[in-house]
Amino acid sequence: MESKTLEPVVEMVTVTVNGVEHHYPKGKNLLAALLGDDIPVPHYCWHPKLTVAGNCRLCMVEMEGNPRPGISCNMTCTDGLKIKTESDLVTSCREGMMEFLLVNHPLDCPICDRGGECMLQRYSMDYGIGTARVVDERRRFEKPQFDPLIDIERNRCILCTRCVRFMDEVGDEHSLAIYGRGNRNYIGTFGDGPVANIFSGNIIDICPVGCLTSKPYRFKARAWELQQVVSTCMLCSAGCETTTWLRDGKIMRTTPPGRREPDGHFTIDEDTEKFICNEGRFGNYFANHEDRLTTALRRRDESMVVSTWDDALDAATGALREAADQGPDKVAILAGPRATNEEYYLLSRMARSTLGTNQIDWRTAFISDAAAQMAGAALNASDGDLDKLDVGEYDVTLVVNAALRDSTPVIGLRVKEAARCGKTKLIVLDSALDGWLSDQAEIAAVERPGELGAVVRGLLDALRGGGAAVSELRELAQIFKAASSGLIILGLDTAGGVFNAELVPAVLDLARELGEAWDFLPVVQARNAKGAMACGAQSDRLPGGSIRGETERNRLAEFWGTLDASSEPGPTAPSILRAAARGEITTLLLHRCDDLIYHPQRELIEKAIEATPNVIVIDVFPSWITQAATVVLPGAFPFETEGSIVGADGEMLSLVRGNQPPGDAQEDWRIIQTLDERLGSATTYRSVGEIFSELLVSIAPARPFRLVDLRLEGPGRESPQRPQSVFGKAERPTFKVRFTDRPELKAGTSLARPVGEGKLALVWFYAIQGADHLGAYSTEFAELRPEASIQLNPEDARDLGVGKGDRVNIQGAPGAVGPPPVVCLNETLPRGIARAGANAIRLRMGSGDADVAGLPQIAIARATGGEA
Amino acid sequence: MTLQIHRKGEAARPSSAPLAQRKAIEIEKIMKKYPIRRSAVMDLLFLVQEEHPEGRITPEATEEIGEICEMTPAEVAQMITFYTMYHREPVGTHVFWVCGTLPCALSGADGLFEYLKEKLGVGLDEVTEDGLFTIKRMECLGACSEAPLVLAGKKMVTKLTRAKVDEMIDRLRGKKSIEDMT
Ligand code: SF4
Ligand code: SF4
Ligand code: SF4
Ligand code: FES
Ligand code: FES
């Protein structure tokens, strides 16, 4: 994005505030400018990310030459403006407004969950008169059921409409409204039903008072007794920054980054684009679950028994050594999606250097070798510096085959927001529209799954001046040509990557054709896929480059003492699993392989584990896999460990350790390090910082990240300042590197297959909502999650005799074993196609050649006994 | 290639709500008056309210109107609760709106209100057993010079007295018009 460096020239104007001259950009919102300069102005209804409502009247300032005060949130900076934020007039306005807002307020702070972080409390102290003159009975509202996750206490509402505007503008749901009139005004949903939106949790932070509060957090704790740990959400690859609030080592809540004010109040940062999704907010309680693995386990006959660390590590090392001695193809390591860069780096070292094998891979979510290969190639070509995914910086954004809302919600939100504000022209190309992102698309094109690649190729033809058959493609080509910059987002794990062979080469060709001003962002659900790839937890890559690279090999050999693994790429995770199922692998190390637990190819995974004599699992929760393992080593969660993570935008973020892992559980990096040491590795690291420094040098030549805000030490016990860069602010590097040049790839064959009689081809994706292994342990949230659903074309639904809201079973093979999903109708779905979150419905599909060459074809029947 | 194209702001599909089919002609006529679909919401609310045997707008109708006007039910319900002349609860065939603002109050509106309640045997907002009457309160009806007064359906009866209340109710019970009352 070359255009980024050209900052538009902003005219500055002089605004006199309390007699002091300030210079602000012309036209900037006055309240924002004042707050940005740390000039305190109380305000309720204004929020930097929402439109101006101007209804709380608290932000009044006195304007010279105007007898009436004005609301600063609705004023812009103009030259010569002279205002006062402190004066007798302003004080009396504030006092009057505060009294007015408190007329009906219950003032039940002692039992109000917002106590200690409430703006009304705070402003009452700062600007209120301190006494109440009201003698009449206060207005009282009934408390409705409302939302399963959000509690409403209408008596506390000050009717600022922030929540309404959030649901209108960001949530795009228009589900909240102000009902009634005058003194009987109240906030609510239609029929007091749920707010029902994946971003709805944000209205808890947005509400300045205690009207909307979190149900899972209700009456659990007070803000001031909590320890805040700066962290990043590990649930999807959007990688949102979060603050985890702990008490006695238990997670009380998760919010976007927050801060403690000098006066002791807690506020969630307003001025950042940091809305998180409900999964990130409520789905993290799993760490509190009592089923956490707290001791090492070893298999004795049919059951797993508690073992000492020493014995377990001995058994694990013995098994790894034995397998490695039999040959490099007898031992394999699969790494899950939620590890840190340091853990991936250590795993890679253990494989390549100590065990001498290239059988290490993170791509467990893909259903075939080809899908995984292509995903690796696409990630390899992704841009390393997408500047916080500021999608508004691009003229055009093209989203191909990505279920963004369902699998990486905040990436979807970024794109949607930019499109809604008219900052980018959004083009969506998919096999069905979600009615969410696609609503903001300038043009949304739907094609049958399996033919999307052909559409991209058609587009490419049109770009090259060829006569594309479809006029819309020529139109799109015109839009692309006219754009001075653009972003291409490609979903890689839709249907386990079955479209990759078709789509990845086509999209990469398109990106190449469009040139340097276009950025490429391939998206997978796996949290730290970019980190895994960069740090060498991918069969064909070493930390910092290709497995074949001489320089990389020499450098790493120096760091690691030896580098025994061959320079031939190892097999991908799907191939490793198939080899294991054939009984060809002696020892398998599974590091936090969440994706395998609810994997649609359950049979394959079961066979692989059964046929492998030694299965060593490092994990945090028991699962059917830990039950079937030979050795289980208990690991740690993000806020229990230090490390670094790569965000979707290519930015490195740090995890701060705020808590001990429970019981005997250990930080994962220590476990891997100890295993490696016992296997005889040459070097030992004493801290994550040491690994990090080495890792930085190792991946430097192709450094795919910007290093920002890294802090690897620190107890995280104080109020979280934003961690500083390891380089210090001044010398923050701002380089832009591509992982590698975009490779030429050969296109696969088309996947269009005729759909059998009475069957539907299922386009499945990894849905985040309530769908995965960790989610199942987040019990506070478990019953409150939206139900699993399946989308059908209305005509198909009619033919099948089912309607909107019906529960259906997905029977036979392939089938689904989850609770019957609810039918949603989607008119944009082509006939014969259904769409669902695979992990939400617990899809079971085969792993034979035919099974992984196309979409699973499912049969649907109305569930008996389910309510309609 | 069977590329299906959707564009931002393209005309929505015709609504499949039963209301849209049942009242197609009326809705068509209303829609013609407004360049933006959602502007028609108030007219549509009156349409369904008048059609309903209990004179009210049901949650189902709220959703249907939302679909026709391209609004969410929450937004439609917001309109209904804002304006007092839309009812969510059942009302009688005839609604008496008794003005209670200051000039009317000073002219004895409260006494007449009590009399009306006693005579009909119902409280505020309730429906008489025969389903004929409901009493509601209203703020100033803009005819203070004629206070006290009541709005009976669409007919305003001014300078109200007990005798006038009796006559009004008798006539309505006897299915006679009150149009000529003053
Ligand atoms: S909303 Fe604020 S002022 Fe009101 S009861 Fe809660 S903490 Fe107290
Ligand atoms: S619920 Fe909270 S955010 Fe919504 S209007 Fe009331 S005070 Fe404002
Ligand atoms: S979008 Fe992903 S990373 Fe962000 S809060 Fe939601 S689950 Fe977590
Ligand atoms: S913040 Fe300006 S009126 Fe509410
Ligand atoms: S006060 Fe009753 S009409 Fe004005």
Side-chain angles (χ1 to χ4, degrees), chain B residues 111-130:
Chain B
L112 287 164
F113 177 61
E114 290 307 319
Y115 180 65
L116 201 53
K117 285 205 290 191
E118 198 187 299
K119 176 143 179 118
L120 294 175
V122 288
L124 184 67
D125 295 340
E126 291 170 4
V127 186
T128 52
E129 237 160 65
D130 54 8

Side-chain angles (χ1 to χ4, degrees), chain A residues 583-603:
Chain A
E584 290 166 9
I585 285 178
T586 310
T587 301
L588 193 54
L589 173 63
L590 304 176
H591 178 242
R592 305 269 305 273
C593 285
D594 295 338
D595 288 334
L596 295 185
I597 296 170
Y598 291 143
H599 202 284
Q601 296 172 324
R602 171 71 169 254
E603 230 170 90

Side-chain angles (χ1 to χ4, degrees), chain A residues 469-486:
Chain A
V470 188
S471 67
E472 278 89 359
L473 291 183
R474 289 198 298 272
E475 186 188 342
L476 282 178
Q478 283 311 319
I479 295 178
F480 287 3
K481 266 191 198 153
S484 63
S485 66

Side-chain angles (χ1 to χ4, degrees), chain B residues 168-180:
Chain B
M168 200 168 66
I169 291 173
D170 286 347
R171 284 211 206 178
L172 291 171
R173 281 205 177 121
K175 296 212 168 68
K176 291 204 207 86
S177 166
I178 54 165
E179 276 309 305
D180 57 332

